[in-house]
Every structure is written in C-alpha cells, then in structure tokens.
Amino acid sequence: MIGINIYLALIAIATLLSVYRVFRGPTTVDRLVAVDIMTTITAGLMVLFALYYERMIFLDVALVYAILAFGGVIAFARYMEGGL
C-alpha cells in the first residue's frame, strides 16, 4: 500500500473542490451535486480504508452509505422539482 498517500492527496483535493462548490455554487442544484460528490468521495474513502486495514466490513458500510446517500439525493431532487 505504498500509493495510499497519493490516493489520499487526490481525495483531499476533490473534497476541497467540492466544498468550494457547496459554498460558492450559484444554484441549489450545484450545491446538491457537490454534496453528492462528497458522499461518493466518502464511500471511496471507506473502500480505501477497507483495503488498507484489511477489514472487509468497511466495504459493506460503504455500500450501505452510498445507497442511502443516493436515496437522499433523489429525494431532495424530487422535492426541488415539486414532486414530493
């Protein structure tokens, strides 16, 4: 796991860019997409932790987290559209 520092640096850059978009997004949809990106980054980080610590339970947690985050984004998008 020599390259884990490179992966963590890339994840940190992506997270910073997403946080910037959350605060500076001109529309609510831009902010919603940025939050969705951050949840995807978090799920990917959990997968990296599973590989690094050799604990496969983190993969299950990442999968459940990603599914719940997807459901939340869909619910908020439906609310924004006026369908909820």
Side-chain angles (χ1 to χ4, degrees):
M1 294 295 165
I2 296 172
I4 195 138
N5 292 332
I6 295 170
Y7 296 136
L8 291 176
L10 291 174
I11 287 173
I13 291 169
T15 303
L16 288 175
L17 291 173
S18 296
V19 168
Y20 174 77
R21 179 52 56 195
V22 166
F23 289 118
R24 298 286 298 188
T27 65
T28 307
V29 176
D30 290 329
R31 291 182 173 103
L32 178 64
V33 169
V35 169
D36 186 39
I37 289 171
M38 285 193 293
T39 60
T40 304
I41 290 169
T42 304
L45 193 58
M46 287 181 199
V47 170
L48 279 179
F49 283 153
L51 294 174
Y52 183 73
Y53 291 117
E54 297 177 0
R55 304 280 302 190
M56 294 304 120
I57 190 71
F58 289 145
L59 293 177
D60 297 334
V61 172
L63 180 64
V64 170
Y65 179 76
I67 290 170
L68 290 174
F70 176 74
V73 168
I74 294 298
F76 193 74
R78 292 280 308 251
Y79 172 74
M80 295 283 299
E81 189 177 83
L84 261 180

